[in-house]
Amino acid sequence: MKLDRKQRVVYGWLILTLFILILAGRLAWVQLVMKHQRMPGSNHTMIEASLYQRERGVVLDSGRGHFTDRYGQPLTGHLIWTAVLFPMNKAEWSEAQPKLRQLSDILNTDYDALTDQWYKSHEPILWHAQSSPVPTALSSEQIARIHELKLEYIQVLPYQQRYPAGLSGMQWLGYVSGQRKENLFYKDDPEIKGNSGLEKALDPIIRGDEPTIVYFPVNGGNHVIQDMEPMVKASSNPYYPLRVQSTIDAGMQRAIEDLTEKANMGKGAVVVLDARNADILAMVSRPFYNPEDIHPEAGEWENRAVKAAVPGSIFKLVTAAAALEHGVVKPREKFHCSGEYGKYGLSCWKEGGHGTITAEEGFAHSCNVVFATLAERLTHEQLEAAANSLGLGQTVGWQAKDLLGLSVLKPLDHEEQGTIFDKSADRSDAGERVQTAIGQRDTAISPLQAANMVVTLLHGGEVHRPRLMDKLTYANGQLLYEAKPVVMGKLGGSGNISRETSAILRKWMEDVVREGTGKSLLNHKARWAGKSGTAQVKVKGRARNNQWFIGYGPVEQPRYAVAVLVEDRSPDSSHQATQLFGQVIDLLASPDFSVSGSGSAR
């Protein structure tokens, strides 16, 4: 009996000893190994999580890579000084009331709005003015007055604001999601991710190393311990964050945005390309968007410069190119326009017609009858091949394969290839071909394609791929990758556009401004050439117009190719696209926007 009792005691001690050893081993494993591993469902290690239980952190910089224009001017990453508000208990709140009223005056906000936002917070928050989606930037005077208050529960800290405040037409830049709007404290914040534009295209590359966070020690009541200094945690990697240099001229971009705003332009786009290599210098999309306040269903985030739209008479460049290449017309051949074509329900835009005119004059005055006649001399295949040779019916933006871990890099996000003929088109239907030849029916091209078509004519039929990204560099300035210009060459097989045809079409575009539908542009600062277009469309069952003007200039030494599209215009309204094109001409005539080293692209 005694032996059994002793055995039970021994066994009990052995089990207890084993349990203690297992527990000690587990603790050792956690302390030595697991403390540096990420916890399930979290972005943080175990040791970081333990620190967060007695610290509160505010993200000052996400660590994401930034974008600049062609001259290195920042497009993202603007340093501001802003207020961080820390939670208070009831006693502290009552004691701070007099200073809070002074603070509301300093912040130019209503006292109730300030206290309502602050009192509900259980974590440090960045101060947002009412209805603002981004932290409020403080002036030096505001900062000095805040310091004079000596209020323990507010700190003024530097903050890296990703986008400039307000609306812009830079939808090609895109926007990010996952960034907290109200409480930018660092605990289990969602991962910041690019959702459109360059932000999306380069997202895997520019996510960065780690954010910059300032940590404040707190007590058991979640209040900042004033006697302990805050700590800043930041990446020590000299290579990150990466920097993406775009081809955009930020000054030109903003100036054209201002022009569209003053013109009260509703929907559309303006694209300016470098005539030498088709680099995108400016790309404005309307309506504007706010990258810090995205409403996906509203659609403002979409870049209308790469969305296809019905082109109207600017497509006559394609029809003329096909007719000249296949020898079905001579520039001085005469046609008669009475105002009615006599079939397919087609008429000329000019009541009573243009009378007897040459093919060259028919282009200058955008005569539908002349181009309907040319269309009947061509085949669907010839017209489509000419369009393909000018870079239409396909995406033209610069792209690269197998680059920096990406299978395909396409900086121009959501670029549409457009259409020439619908896939179900009846190739024997001359009426369909006639409608297509004047830029109606199923034809659709983007403003980017339209501007690039002009560059193609300036280069004798060679199609370039417009670049939006120039190069990627490390934080220390070292080059990571350079996106060199790409020439697609001549496309379209038997439909290639020759240098001779290109020269004729450039001359015809000069005639448009000299004596045709673009004559109103003669009184501007420089001499340009171009082509107007008005496409009839239906918008929610209503008859509306797409207005276009595309061209190049100055004529003597082309530096730019420009496309302007104004969508959803009333059929009886003035031609806003031509008016805006003229304003862009005057803007680009300024020495401030002279392309460095530019010369004739012919």
Side-chain angles (χ1 to χ4, degrees), residues 316-324 326-331 333-335 341 346 358-360 362-363 367-380 382-383 430 433-434 437-438 505 508:
K316 289 172 181 174
L317 274 166
V318 176
T319 306
L324 290 168
H326 292 282
V328 300
V329 70
K330 297 294 183 183
E333 180 183 347
K334 293 184 178 180
F335 300 81
Y341 188 57
L346 184 74
T358 64
E360 183 175 7
F363 183 88
C367 178
N368 286 342
V369 171
V370 170
F371 279 83
T373 304
L374 296 182
E376 293 215 67
R377 298 177 184 179
L378 295 165
T379 66
H380 277 62
Q382 289 170 336
L383 196 57
R433 187 165 61 254
V434 164
I438 62 172
L505 293 177
W508 285 13

mmCIF file of all heavy atoms in Angstrom, residues 316-324 326-331 333-335 341 346 358-360 362-363 367-380 382-383 430 433-434 437-438 505 508:
data_model
loop_
_atom_site.group_PDB
_atom_site.id
_atom_site.type_symbol
_atom_site.label_atom_id
_atom_site.label_comp_id
_atom_site.label_asym_id
_atom_site.label_seq_id
_atom_site.Cartn_x
_atom_site.Cartn_y
_atom_site.Cartn_z
ATOM 1 N N LYS A 316 -11.202 60.469 -91.741
ATOM 2 C CA LYS A 316 -10.988 60.673 -93.174
ATOM 3 C C LYS A 316 -9.511 60.656 -93.535
ATOM 4 O O LYS A 316 -9.158 60.468 -94.701
ATOM 5 C CB LYS A 316 -11.657 61.975 -93.621
ATOM 6 C CG LYS A 316 -13.181 61.881 -93.632
ATOM 7 C CD LYS A 316 -13.857 63.220 -93.887
ATOM 8 C CE LYS A 316 -15.387 63.057 -93.851
ATOM 9 N NZ LYS A 316 -16.100 64.350 -93.940
ATOM 10 N N LEU A 317 -8.646 60.859 -92.528
ATOM 11 C CA LEU A 317 -7.206 60.671 -92.764
ATOM 12 C C LEU A 317 -6.916 59.238 -93.181
ATOM 13 O O LEU A 317 -6.091 58.989 -94.073
ATOM 14 C CB LEU A 317 -6.416 61.006 -91.487
ATOM 15 C CG LEU A 317 -6.034 62.459 -91.243
ATOM 16 C CD1 LEU A 317 -5.580 62.654 -89.810
ATOM 17 C CD2 LEU A 317 -4.947 62.890 -92.220
ATOM 18 N N VAL A 318 -7.600 58.286 -92.535
ATOM 19 C CA VAL A 318 -7.416 56.870 -92.861
ATOM 20 C C VAL A 318 -7.943 56.581 -94.264
ATOM 21 O O VAL A 318 -7.275 55.920 -95.075
ATOM 22 C CB VAL A 318 -8.145 55.981 -91.834
ATOM 23 C CG1 VAL A 318 -8.046 54.513 -92.219
ATOM 24 C CG2 VAL A 318 -7.574 56.210 -90.444
ATOM 25 N N THR A 319 -9.143 57.079 -94.567
ATOM 26 C CA THR A 319 -9.750 56.842 -95.883
ATOM 27 C C THR A 319 -8.896 57.455 -96.982
ATOM 28 O O THR A 319 -8.660 56.823 -98.031
ATOM 29 C CB THR A 319 -11.166 57.441 -95.917
ATOM 30 O OG1 THR A 319 -11.913 56.933 -94.818
ATOM 31 C CG2 THR A 319 -11.871 57.092 -97.213
ATOM 32 N N ALA A 320 -8.408 58.666 -96.744
ATOM 33 C CA ALA A 320 -7.548 59.312 -97.736
ATOM 34 C C ALA A 320 -6.252 58.533 -97.929
ATOM 35 O O ALA A 320 -5.773 58.368 -99.056
ATOM 36 C CB ALA A 320 -7.245 60.741 -97.298
ATOM 37 N N ALA A 321 -5.679 58.051 -96.820
ATOM 38 C CA ALA A 321 -4.440 57.271 -96.912
ATOM 39 C C ALA A 321 -4.658 56.007 -97.738
ATOM 40 O O ALA A 321 -3.834 55.668 -98.609
ATOM 41 C CB ALA A 321 -3.952 56.907 -95.513
ATOM 42 N N ALA A 322 -5.759 55.298 -97.492
ATOM 43 C CA ALA A 322 -6.057 54.069 -98.243
ATOM 44 C C ALA A 322 -6.261 54.383 -99.718
ATOM 45 O O ALA A 322 -5.754 53.663 -100.607
ATOM 46 C CB ALA A 322 -7.293 53.388 -97.664
ATOM 47 N N ALA A 323 -7.010 55.449 -100.013
ATOM 48 C CA ALA A 323 -7.291 55.803 -101.408
ATOM 49 C C ALA A 323 -6.019 56.195 -102.154
ATOM 50 O O ALA A 323 -5.810 55.809 -103.315
ATOM 51 C CB ALA A 323 -8.300 56.951 -101.447
ATOM 52 N N LEU A 324 -5.147 56.961 -101.512
ATOM 53 C CA LEU A 324 -3.890 57.365 -102.145
ATOM 54 C C LEU A 324 -2.956 56.171 -102.336
ATOM 55 O O LEU A 324 -2.319 56.030 -103.394
ATOM 56 C CB LEU A 324 -3.205 58.436 -101.300
ATOM 57 C CG LEU A 324 -3.877 59.820 -101.278
ATOM 58 C CD1 LEU A 324 -3.282 60.689 -100.183
ATOM 59 C CD2 LEU A 324 -3.738 60.512 -102.639
ATOM 60 N N HIS A 326 -3.679 53.035 -102.724
ATOM 61 C CA HIS A 326 -4.176 52.065 -103.718
ATOM 62 C C HIS A 326 -4.507 52.708 -105.052
ATOM 63 O O HIS A 326 -5.066 52.056 -105.934
ATOM 64 C CB HIS A 326 -5.391 51.325 -103.152
ATOM 65 C CG HIS A 326 -5.045 50.421 -102.004
ATOM 66 N ND1 HIS A 326 -4.458 49.195 -102.173
ATOM 67 C CD2 HIS A 326 -5.155 50.604 -100.662
ATOM 68 C CE1 HIS A 326 -4.247 48.632 -100.985
ATOM 69 N NE2 HIS A 326 -4.653 49.471 -100.058
ATOM 70 N N GLY A 327 -4.149 53.987 -105.181
ATOM 71 C CA GLY A 327 -4.263 54.647 -106.474
ATOM 72 C C GLY A 327 -5.674 54.838 -106.990
ATOM 73 O O GLY A 327 -5.883 54.938 -108.207
ATOM 74 N N VAL A 328 -6.652 54.924 -106.094
ATOM 75 C CA VAL A 328 -8.036 55.089 -106.558
ATOM 76 C C VAL A 328 -8.427 56.559 -106.611
ATOM 77 O O VAL A 328 -9.578 56.886 -106.947
ATOM 78 C CB VAL A 328 -9.021 54.311 -105.655
ATOM 79 C CG1 VAL A 328 -8.687 52.828 -105.654
ATOM 80 C CG2 VAL A 328 -9.047 54.876 -104.235
ATOM 81 N N VAL A 329 -7.497 57.459 -106.310
ATOM 82 C CA VAL A 329 -7.760 58.890 -106.381
ATOM 83 C C VAL A 329 -6.447 59.633 -106.600
ATOM 84 O O VAL A 329 -5.375 59.180 -106.182
ATOM 85 C CB VAL A 329 -8.440 59.389 -105.092
ATOM 86 C CG1 VAL A 329 -7.476 59.371 -103.913
ATOM 87 C CG2 VAL A 329 -9.022 60.799 -105.267
ATOM 88 N N LYS A 330 -6.565 60.775 -107.271
ATOM 89 C CA LYS A 330 -5.465 61.716 -107.404
ATOM 90 C C LYS A 330 -5.842 62.987 -106.647
ATOM 91 O O LYS A 330 -7.022 63.363 -106.616
ATOM 92 C CB LYS A 330 -5.207 62.045 -108.878
ATOM 93 C CG LYS A 330 -4.783 60.850 -109.714
ATOM 94 C CD LYS A 330 -3.430 60.313 -109.287
ATOM 95 C CE LYS A 330 -2.997 59.159 -110.199
ATOM 96 N NZ LYS A 330 -1.705 58.570 -109.735
ATOM 97 N N PRO A 331 -4.875 63.666 -106.060
ATOM 98 C CA PRO A 331 -5.207 64.847 -105.252
ATOM 99 C C PRO A 331 -6.042 65.888 -105.983
ATOM 100 O O PRO A 331 -6.888 66.538 -105.375
ATOM 101 C CB PRO A 331 -3.827 65.399 -104.865
ATOM 102 C CG PRO A 331 -2.946 64.196 -104.837
ATOM 103 C CD PRO A 331 -3.436 63.329 -105.958
ATOM 104 N N GLU A 333 -8.137 65.284 -108.527
ATOM 105 C CA GLU A 333 -9.351 64.741 -109.144
ATOM 106 C C GLU A 333 -10.564 65.513 -108.637
ATOM 107 O O GLU A 333 -10.659 65.828 -107.454
ATOM 108 C CB GLU A 333 -9.515 63.260 -108.822
ATOM 109 C CG GLU A 333 -10.766 62.647 -109.442
ATOM 110 C CD GLU A 333 -10.976 61.191 -109.064
ATOM 111 O OE1 GLU A 333 -10.031 60.578 -108.520
ATOM 112 O OE2 GLU A 333 -12.076 60.658 -109.314
ATOM 113 N N LYS A 334 -11.522 65.788 -109.553
ATOM 114 C CA LYS A 334 -12.685 66.601 -109.190
ATOM 115 C C LYS A 334 -13.910 65.753 -108.874
ATOM 116 O O LYS A 334 -14.142 64.711 -109.492
ATOM 117 C CB LYS A 334 -13.003 67.590 -110.321
ATOM 118 C CG LYS A 334 -11.926 68.654 -110.505
ATOM 119 C CD LYS A 334 -12.314 69.672 -111.563
ATOM 120 C CE LYS A 334 -11.240 70.752 -111.696
ATOM 121 N NZ LYS A 334 -11.615 71.774 -112.733
ATOM 122 N N PHE A 335 -14.685 66.232 -107.930
ATOM 123 C CA PHE A 335 -15.933 65.596 -107.499
ATOM 124 C C PHE A 335 -17.010 66.673 -107.446
ATOM 125 O O PHE A 335 -16.706 67.870 -107.349
ATOM 126 C CB PHE A 335 -15.774 64.968 -106.107
ATOM 127 C CG PHE A 335 -14.719 63.902 -106.028
ATOM 128 C CD1 PHE A 335 -13.370 64.242 -105.895
ATOM 129 C CD2 PHE A 335 -15.059 62.558 -106.084
ATOM 130 C CE1 PHE A 335 -12.393 63.261 -105.818
ATOM 131 C CE2 PHE A 335 -14.075 61.569 -106.004
ATOM 132 C CZ PHE A 335 -12.746 61.928 -105.868
ATOM 133 N N TYR A 341 -25.764 62.492 -101.100
ATOM 134 C CA TYR A 341 -25.017 61.444 -101.790
ATOM 135 C C TYR A 341 -25.930 60.602 -102.678
ATOM 136 O O TYR A 341 -25.490 60.025 -103.662
ATOM 137 C CB TYR A 341 -24.293 60.554 -100.776
ATOM 138 C CG TYR A 341 -23.348 59.567 -101.433
ATOM 139 C CD1 TYR A 341 -22.326 60.007 -102.262
ATOM 140 C CD2 TYR A 341 -23.486 58.201 -101.202
ATOM 141 C CE1 TYR A 341 -21.459 59.105 -102.860
ATOM 142 C CE2 TYR A 341 -22.623 57.290 -101.788
ATOM 143 C CZ TYR A 341 -21.615 57.749 -102.629
ATOM 144 O OH TYR A 341 -20.768 56.849 -103.228
ATOM 145 N N LEU A 346 -27.084 59.018 -96.832
ATOM 146 C CA LEU A 346 -25.940 59.878 -96.517
ATOM 147 C C LEU A 346 -26.091 61.258 -97.156
ATOM 148 O O LEU A 346 -26.496 61.378 -98.320
ATOM 149 C CB LEU A 346 -24.647 59.225 -97.005
ATOM 150 C CG LEU A 346 -23.357 59.974 -96.654
ATOM 151 C CD1 LEU A 346 -23.038 59.805 -95.189
ATOM 152 C CD2 LEU A 346 -22.203 59.463 -97.504
ATOM 153 N N THR A 358 -11.975 69.471 -105.638
ATOM 154 C CA THR A 358 -10.987 68.400 -105.793
ATOM 155 C C THR A 358 -10.960 67.530 -104.539
ATOM 156 O O THR A 358 -11.534 67.900 -103.505
ATOM 157 C CB THR A 358 -9.589 68.983 -106.023
ATOM 158 O OG1 THR A 358 -9.203 69.704 -104.843
ATOM 159 C CG2 THR A 358 -9.571 69.908 -107.242
ATOM 160 N N ALA A 359 -10.279 66.405 -104.636
ATOM 161 C CA ALA A 359 -10.122 65.538 -103.464
ATOM 162 C C ALA A 359 -9.414 66.283 -102.334
ATOM 163 O O ALA A 359 -9.788 66.167 -101.158
ATOM 164 C CB ALA A 359 -9.335 64.287 -103.848
ATOM 165 N N GLU A 360 -8.405 67.063 -102.699
ATOM 166 C CA GLU A 360 -7.666 67.838 -101.701
ATOM 167 C C GLU A 360 -8.574 68.838 -101.004
ATOM 168 O O GLU A 360 -8.553 68.977 -99.772
ATOM 169 C CB GLU A 360 -6.505 68.569 -102.383
ATOM 170 C CG GLU A 360 -5.612 69.361 -101.440
ATOM 171 C CD GLU A 360 -4.419 69.964 -102.156
ATOM 172 O OE1 GLU A 360 -4.369 69.880 -103.399
ATOM 173 O OE2 GLU A 360 -3.545 70.520 -101.470
ATOM 174 N N GLY A 362 -11.816 68.568 -100.865
ATOM 175 C CA GLY A 362 -12.805 67.786 -100.135
ATOM 176 C C GLY A 362 -12.317 67.423 -98.737
ATOM 177 O O GLY A 362 -13.102 67.370 -97.789
ATOM 178 N N PHE A 363 -11.019 67.174 -98.604
ATOM 179 C CA PHE A 363 -10.440 66.893 -97.293
ATOM 180 C C PHE A 363 -10.437 68.163 -96.439
ATOM 181 O O PHE A 363 -10.820 68.138 -95.266
ATOM 182 C CB PHE A 363 -9.020 66.361 -97.439
ATOM 183 C CG PHE A 363 -8.367 65.965 -96.146
ATOM 184 C CD1 PHE A 363 -8.520 64.696 -95.631
ATOM 185 C CD2 PHE A 363 -7.602 66.877 -95.418
ATOM 186 C CE1 PHE A 363 -7.920 64.324 -94.421
ATOM 187 C CE2 PHE A 363 -7.000 66.534 -94.217
ATOM 188 C CZ PHE A 363 -7.168 65.249 -93.722
ATOM 189 N N CYS A 367 -15.712 67.126 -96.832
ATOM 190 C CA CYS A 367 -16.889 66.808 -97.621
ATOM 191 C C CYS A 367 -17.227 65.313 -97.519
ATOM 192 O O CYS A 367 -16.433 64.461 -97.944
ATOM 193 C CB CYS A 367 -16.663 67.190 -99.079
ATOM 194 S SG CYS A 367 -18.050 66.779 -100.155
ATOM 195 N N ASN A 368 -18.409 65.000 -97.023
ATOM 196 C CA ASN A 368 -18.833 63.603 -96.880
ATOM 197 C C ASN A 368 -19.045 62.926 -98.220
ATOM 198 O O ASN A 368 -18.793 61.726 -98.372
ATOM 199 C CB ASN A 368 -20.129 63.530 -96.071
ATOM 200 C CG ASN A 368 -19.902 63.796 -94.597
ATOM 201 O OD1 ASN A 368 -18.783 63.722 -94.104
ATOM 202 N ND2 ASN A 368 -20.981 64.121 -93.891
ATOM 203 N N VAL A 369 -19.512 63.673 -99.204
ATOM 204 C CA VAL A 369 -19.790 63.091 -100.515
ATOM 205 C C VAL A 369 -18.495 62.611 -101.177
ATOM 206 O O VAL A 369 -18.435 61.513 -101.761
ATOM 207 C CB VAL A 369 -20.520 64.109 -101.422
ATOM 208 C CG1 VAL A 369 -20.618 63.587 -102.866
ATOM 209 C CG2 VAL A 369 -21.912 64.392 -100.862
ATOM 210 N N VAL A 370 -17.441 63.415 -101.120
ATOM 211 C CA VAL A 370 -16.150 63.016 -101.681
ATOM 212 C C VAL A 370 -15.669 61.727 -101.027
ATOM 213 O O VAL A 370 -15.246 60.780 -101.720
ATOM 214 C CB VAL A 370 -15.099 64.132 -101.494
ATOM 215 C CG1 VAL A 370 -13.698 63.616 -101.859
ATOM 216 C CG2 VAL A 370 -15.449 65.349 -102.335
ATOM 217 N N PHE A 371 -15.766 61.641 -99.713
ATOM 218 C CA PHE A 371 -15.213 60.471 -99.024
ATOM 219 C C PHE A 371 -16.119 59.248 -99.120
ATOM 220 O O PHE A 371 -15.642 58.118 -99.046
ATOM 221 C CB PHE A 371 -14.856 60.840 -97.581
ATOM 222 C CG PHE A 371 -13.528 61.543 -97.497
ATOM 223 C CD1 PHE A 371 -13.448 62.913 -97.728
ATOM 224 C CD2 PHE A 371 -12.359 60.844 -97.279
ATOM 225 C CE1 PHE A 371 -12.226 63.566 -97.711
ATOM 226 C CE2 PHE A 371 -11.132 61.482 -97.260
ATOM 227 C CZ PHE A 371 -11.064 62.847 -97.477
ATOM 228 N N ALA A 372 -17.397 59.459 -99.299
ATOM 229 C CA ALA A 372 -18.277 58.318 -99.568
ATOM 230 C C ALA A 372 -17.929 57.719 -100.922
ATOM 231 O O ALA A 372 -17.916 56.487 -101.099
ATOM 232 C CB ALA A 372 -19.733 58.772 -99.538
ATOM 233 N N THR A 373 -17.624 58.586 -101.883
ATOM 234 C CA THR A 373 -17.231 58.116 -103.222
ATOM 235 C C THR A 373 -15.936 57.312 -103.145
ATOM 236 O O THR A 373 -15.803 56.241 -103.753
ATOM 237 C CB THR A 373 -17.051 59.307 -104.176
ATOM 238 O OG1 THR A 373 -18.262 60.080 -104.207
ATOM 239 C CG2 THR A 373 -16.717 58.838 -105.585
ATOM 240 N N LEU A 374 -14.964 57.805 -102.389
ATOM 241 C CA LEU A 374 -13.687 57.091 -102.240
ATOM 242 C C LEU A 374 -13.905 55.742 -101.557
ATOM 243 O O LEU A 374 -13.276 54.736 -101.926
ATOM 244 C CB LEU A 374 -12.700 57.932 -101.430
ATOM 245 C CG LEU A 374 -12.255 59.263 -102.036
ATOM 246 C CD1 LEU A 374 -11.241 59.948 -101.128
ATOM 247 C CD2 LEU A 374 -11.668 59.058 -103.419
ATOM 248 N N ALA A 375 -14.786 55.711 -100.561
ATOM 249 C CA ALA A 375 -15.042 54.466 -99.830
ATOM 250 C C ALA A 375 -15.576 53.385 -100.752
ATOM 251 O O ALA A 375 -15.257 52.198 -100.596
ATOM 252 C CB ALA A 375 -16.023 54.724 -98.696
ATOM 253 N N GLU A 376 -16.411 53.772 -101.729
ATOM 254 C CA GLU A 376 -16.974 52.771 -102.646
ATOM 255 C C GLU A 376 -15.930 52.236 -103.620
ATOM 256 O O GLU A 376 -16.121 51.191 -104.238
ATOM 257 C CB GLU A 376 -18.161 53.366 -103.394
ATOM 258 C CG GLU A 376 -19.348 53.668 -102.490
ATOM 259 C CD GLU A 376 -20.677 53.441 -103.163
ATOM 260 O OE1 GLU A 376 -20.987 52.265 -103.470
ATOM 261 O OE2 GLU A 376 -21.393 54.426 -103.398
ATOM 262 N N ARG A 377 -14.821 52.932 -103.763
ATOM 263 C CA ARG A 377 -13.732 52.465 -104.612
ATOM 264 C C ARG A 377 -12.785 51.524 -103.854
ATOM 265 O O ARG A 377 -11.908 50.906 -104.463
ATOM 266 C CB ARG A 377 -12.932 53.656 -105.145
ATOM 267 C CG ARG A 377 -13.728 54.615 -106.012
ATOM 268 C CD ARG A 377 -12.851 55.796 -106.428
ATOM 269 N NE ARG A 377 -13.607 56.801 -107.180
ATOM 270 C CZ ARG A 377 -13.100 57.945 -107.652
ATOM 271 N NH1 ARG A 377 -11.807 58.212 -107.417
ATOM 272 N NH2 ARG A 377 -13.844 58.800 -108.319
ATOM 273 N N LEU A 378 -12.918 51.485 -102.548
ATOM 274 C CA LEU A 378 -12.038 50.666 -101.707
ATOM 275 C C LEU A 378 -12.765 49.428 -101.215
ATOM 276 O O LEU A 378 -13.991 49.340 -101.265
ATOM 277 C CB LEU A 378 -11.565 51.485 -100.489
ATOM 278 C CG LEU A 378 -10.682 52.695 -100.766
ATOM 279 C CD1 LEU A 378 -10.611 53.596 -99.530
ATOM 280 C CD2 LEU A 378 -9.281 52.257 -101.182
ATOM 281 N N THR A 379 -11.992 48.482 -100.685
ATOM 282 C CA THR A 379 -12.567 47.309 -100.034
ATOM 283 C C THR A 379 -12.478 47.486 -98.525
ATOM 284 O O THR A 379 -11.734 48.341 -98.017
ATOM 285 C CB THR A 379 -11.816 46.031 -100.428
ATOM 286 O OG1 THR A 379 -10.474 46.106 -99.902
ATOM 287 C CG2 THR A 379 -11.765 45.855 -101.942
ATOM 288 N N HIS A 380 -13.260 46.657 -97.818
ATOM 289 C CA HIS A 380 -13.158 46.670 -96.356
ATOM 290 C C HIS A 380 -11.719 46.407 -95.926
ATOM 291 O O HIS A 380 -11.190 47.057 -95.024
ATOM 292 C CB HIS A 380 -14.057 45.579 -95.763
ATOM 293 C CG HIS A 380 -15.492 45.976 -95.616
ATOM 294 N ND1 HIS A 380 -16.279 46.311 -96.692
ATOM 295 C CD2 HIS A 380 -16.281 46.076 -94.506
ATOM 296 C CE1 HIS A 380 -17.497 46.594 -96.260
ATOM 297 N NE2 HIS A 380 -17.533 46.467 -94.934
ATOM 298 N N GLN A 382 -8.880 46.939 -97.503
ATOM 299 C CA GLN A 382 -7.955 48.048 -97.761
ATOM 300 C C GLN A 382 -8.117 49.163 -96.728
ATOM 301 O O GLN A 382 -7.124 49.732 -96.253
ATOM 302 C CB GLN A 382 -8.199 48.586 -99.174
ATOM 303 C CG GLN A 382 -7.740 47.651 -100.271
ATOM 304 C CD GLN A 382 -8.199 48.086 -101.655
ATOM 305 O OE1 GLN A 382 -9.203 48.804 -101.787
ATOM 306 N NE2 GLN A 382 -7.485 47.667 -102.685
ATOM 307 N N LEU A 383 -9.361 49.447 -96.380
ATOM 308 C CA LEU A 383 -9.616 50.488 -95.390
ATOM 309 C C LEU A 383 -9.104 50.073 -94.010
ATOM 310 O O LEU A 383 -8.471 50.855 -93.294
ATOM 311 C CB LEU A 383 -11.115 50.785 -95.337
ATOM 312 C CG LEU A 383 -11.571 52.089 -94.663
ATOM 313 C CD1 LEU A 383 -10.910 53.295 -95.324
ATOM 314 C CD2 LEU A 383 -13.084 52.223 -94.723
ATOM 315 N N ALA A 430 -21.480 47.905 -99.035
ATOM 316 C CA ALA A 430 -20.829 49.175 -99.354
ATOM 317 C C ALA A 430 -21.318 50.290 -98.438
ATOM 318 O O ALA A 430 -20.570 51.218 -98.107
ATOM 319 C CB ALA A 430 -21.073 49.535 -100.815
ATOM 320 N N ARG A 433 -19.313 50.347 -95.374
ATOM 321 C CA ARG A 433 -17.968 50.864 -95.646
ATOM 322 C C ARG A 433 -17.997 52.390 -95.785
ATOM 323 O O ARG A 433 -17.095 53.086 -95.318
ATOM 324 C CB ARG A 433 -17.427 50.218 -96.923
ATOM 325 C CG ARG A 433 -15.971 50.542 -97.211
ATOM 326 C CD ARG A 433 -15.376 49.611 -98.256
ATOM 327 N NE ARG A 433 -16.037 49.690 -99.543
ATOM 328 C CZ ARG A 433 -16.866 48.782 -100.049
ATOM 329 N NH1 ARG A 433 -17.150 47.697 -99.342
ATOM 330 N NH2 ARG A 433 -17.409 48.922 -101.243
ATOM 331 N N VAL A 434 -19.048 52.910 -96.412
ATOM 332 C CA VAL A 434 -19.185 54.359 -96.587
ATOM 333 C C VAL A 434 -19.326 55.042 -95.228
ATOM 334 O O VAL A 434 -18.682 56.073 -94.972
ATOM 335 C CB VAL A 434 -20.388 54.678 -97.499
ATOM 336 C CG1 VAL A 434 -20.780 56.146 -97.376
ATOM 337 C CG2 VAL A 434 -20.058 54.333 -98.942
ATOM 338 N N ALA A 437 -16.000 55.044 -93.492
ATOM 339 C CA ALA A 437 -15.019 55.925 -94.123
ATOM 340 C C ALA A 437 -15.126 57.363 -93.636
ATOM 341 O O ALA A 437 -14.146 58.123 -93.714
ATOM 342 C CB ALA A 437 -15.173 55.886 -95.639
ATOM 343 N N ILE A 438 -16.306 57.761 -93.139
ATOM 344 C CA ILE A 438 -16.449 59.121 -92.606
ATOM 345 C C ILE A 438 -16.428 59.112 -91.072
ATOM 346 O O ILE A 438 -16.809 60.090 -90.429
ATOM 347 C CB ILE A 438 -17.726 59.810 -93.135
ATOM 348 C CG1 ILE A 438 -18.982 59.052 -92.700
ATOM 349 C CG2 ILE A 438 -17.671 59.958 -94.653
ATOM 350 C CD1 ILE A 438 -20.280 59.790 -93.021
ATOM 351 N N LEU A 505 -0.729 63.871 -97.038
ATOM 352 C CA LEU A 505 -1.705 64.060 -95.970
ATOM 353 C C LEU A 505 -1.310 65.202 -95.037
ATOM 354 O O LEU A 505 -2.180 65.937 -94.550
ATOM 355 C CB LEU A 505 -1.883 62.756 -95.179
ATOM 356 C CG LEU A 505 -2.532 61.603 -95.958
ATOM 357 C CD1 LEU A 505 -2.596 60.348 -95.096
ATOM 358 C CD2 LEU A 505 -3.932 61.988 -96.425
ATOM 359 N N TRP A 508 -2.361 68.252 -96.828
ATOM 360 C CA TRP A 508 -3.814 68.406 -96.758
ATOM 361 C C TRP A 508 -4.242 68.930 -95.380
ATOM 362 O O TRP A 508 -5.177 69.718 -95.277
ATOM 363 C CB TRP A 508 -4.498 67.071 -97.043
ATOM 364 C CG TRP A 508 -4.474 66.684 -98.506
ATOM 365 C CD1 TRP A 508 -3.719 67.252 -99.488
ATOM 366 C CD2 TRP A 508 -5.212 65.634 -99.123
ATOM 367 N NE1 TRP A 508 -3.941 66.621 -100.689
ATOM 368 C CE2 TRP A 508 -4.858 65.625 -100.499
ATOM 369 C CE3 TRP A 508 -6.116 64.683 -98.663
ATOM 370 C CZ2 TRP A 508 -5.400 64.713 -101.415
ATOM 371 C CZ3 TRP A 508 -6.656 63.780 -99.569
ATOM 372 C CH2 TRP A 508 -6.304 63.793 -100.924
#
